[in-house]
Amino acid sequence: QVQLVQSGAEVKKPGASVKVSCKASGYVFTGNYLHWVRQAPGQGPEWMGWINPKSGGTSYAQKFQGRVTLTRDTSISTAYMQLSRLTSDDTAVYYCARDKSGADDTFDMWGQGTMVTVSS
Amino acid sequence: IQMTQSPSSLSASVGDRVTITCRASQSISNYLNWYQHKPGKAPNLLIFAASNLQSGVPSRFSGSGSGTDFTLTISSLQPEDFATYYCQQSYSRTPLTFGGGTKVEIK
């Protein structure tokens, strides 16, 4: 079964960092880019960046440059999203999403989402 | 590239024909995708490249448009179609952007 399974909900204090995992199964992990998208309460989705699982190459939305780091571990088919210097504005559901045809920026499969709450 | 959807919400009955529009702030050719999102679930790709039905998606869903104006149509609304729908442009990665969503509710 082709799926992306994400790690569980997190509660963090302002200024802290969070690391969310996304484990792929049912397909060749290195064959498709993985994107990260977040959705704050009441807002539309917001794209954060992508990682090429084969090469480890990354690209980040300018808004998150310097705060987000995407990595992967091919031995366990898992991608990670780390976001640092958290503020209350980072409270959102974070999704990983597979690129449909390798790298065409269309998301054909999504993880179940990870709720990150930033609160003092 | 800004993506603007309208309406932001609508009420419709089972069997109704529903049309959702998405406008891009500049031409994006046909680099436009549509997703369905139900609360607590992962979003689901419906239409890619403006008019191509994703595998496994019912044929009552269709997409059209090019340039700046796009439409998602549900020909006969079914109970399982009540959800929020988002458009997304894949023309420019700097950054990839989504519309604000259209919530389809039961009338």
Side-chain angles (χ1 to χ4, degrees):
Chain A
Q1 181 184 0
V2 180
Q3 60 180 354
L4 298 171
V5 178
Q6 298 181 221
S7 49
E10 303 262 12
V11 179
K12 296 292 183 180
K13 293 201 181 302
S17 296
V18 68
K19 190 171 187 177
V20 178
S21 68
C22 171
K23 182 171 178 59
S25 60
Y27 74 98
V28 178
F29 178 65
T30 53
N32 301 70
Y33 281 30
L34 272 174
H35 298 256
W36 289 84
V37 176
R38 77 177 187 180
Q39 187 164 23
Q43 311 259 337
E46 182 174 35
W47 176 77
M48 300 179 70
W50 57 252
I51 184 166
N52 177 347
K54 186 172 186 178
S55 67
T58 56
S59 177
Y60 304 127
Q62 188 170 11
K63 174 176 180 176
F64 300 101
Q65 284 275 3
R67 276 209 310 141
V68 69
T69 305
L70 302 183
T71 57
R72 93 293 190 217
D73 184 339
T74 56
S75 69
I76 55 172
S77 300
T78 299
Y80 303 92
M81 185 283 299
Q82 181 164 342
L83 188 62
S84 62
R85 302 193 302 277
L86 293 169
T87 72
S88 57
D89 289 341
D90 294 315
T91 293
V93 179
Y94 289 76
Y95 296 96
C96 58
R98 188 184 75 165
D99 200 295
K100 181 179 182 300
S101 300
D104 74 353
D105 301 332
T106 297
F107 314 131
D108 71 337
M109 184 171 54
W110 297 62
Q112 83 277 18
T114 297
M115 182 71 213
V116 175
T117 302
V118 183
S119 174
S120 54
Chain B
I1 299 174
Q2 308 267 19
M3 307 301 294
T4 304
Q5 285 183 238
S6 60
S8 57
S9 66
L10 64 89
S11 295
S13 301
V14 172
D16 283 353
R17 182 181 182 89
V18 169
T19 299
I20 298 168
T21 63
C22 178
R23 175 164 288 175
S25 60
Q26 67 180 72
S27 177
I28 58 170
S29 184
N30 70 333
Y31 290 87
L32 191 284
N33 308 309
W34 290 97
Y35 301 87
Q36 177 192 66
H37 193 192
K38 297 179 180 180
K41 295 206 165 185
N44 184 42
L45 175 65
L46 300 175
I47 302 287
F48 63 95
S51 60
N52 295 276
L53 194 67
Q54 172 69 354
S55 175
V57 174
S59 59
R60 62 182 180 273
F61 291 94
S62 64
S64 64
S66 68
T68 60
D69 294 314
F70 301 86
T71 300
L72 174 70
T73 300
I74 309 172
S75 61
S76 177
L77 196 67
Q78 297 302 301
E80 60 268 31
D81 300 338
F82 292 96
T84 301
Y85 294 84
Y86 295 98
C87 61
Q88 175 243 332
Q89 64 82 15
S90 54
Y91 180 83
S92 169
R93 280 181 168 176
T94 56
L96 299 172
T97 47
F98 292 81
T102 297
K103 186 173 184 180
V104 177
E105 298 175 300
I106 302 173
K107 194 173 203 177

